[in-house]
Amino acid sequence: VAVVRRPTVPQRSAHPRRRHTMLQAERSALKWEAYHSSLNILEREMLMISTYLDNLSTQAALIAGFIFATFSPISGAALPLKGTYYASAALTF
């Protein structure tokens, strides 16, 4: 992730030139627009990374639940039912 530097405000000289004032204002406005655009890009990148990690954690929790259900014993069930349960759980992967 790139570091975005905040643009500086142009310094006023002791004798301002009126003809360059408009160019300085446009240059400053363009710098600030570029700065805000780069912040917008960084915000979208962070949102994309957050969404990716959220989806990854959801998938990990789902797989962990399947693994836990596969290896947890069925209490009080008959032996053929246990075998059918474990065989069906193994075939789902």
Side-chain angles (χ1 to χ4, degrees):
V1 175
V3 177
V4 179
R5 291 192 177 136
R6 190 174 187 189
T8 58
V9 178
Q11 299 293 327
R12 292 181 181 251
S13 62
H15 302 288
R17 299 177 187 157
R18 294 197 183 266
R19 61 183 169 164
H20 294 293
T21 307
M22 190 62 173
L23 290 175
Q24 288 176 350
E26 288 179 0
R27 183 181 298 140
S28 178
L30 184 61
K31 283 181 184 178
W32 281 103
E33 184 180 340
Y35 173 70
H36 286 289
S37 296
S38 63
L39 287 180
N40 188 16
I41 291 170
L42 287 176
E43 180 184 8
R44 283 188 277 155
E45 285 180 356
M46 290 176 59
L47 181 63
M48 183 185 66
I49 291 170
S50 174
T51 303
Y52 168 75
L53 292 176
D54 186 37
N55 291 336
L56 187 66
S57 65
T58 301
Q59 291 173 6
L62 185 66
I63 290 172
F66 285 147
I67 290 172
F68 180 76
T70 300
F71 293 118
S72 63
I74 302 173
S75 60
L79 187 58
L81 183 60
K82 285 184 183 180
T84 305
Y85 172 76
Y86 288 123
S88 66
L91 291 177
T92 57
F93 289 108

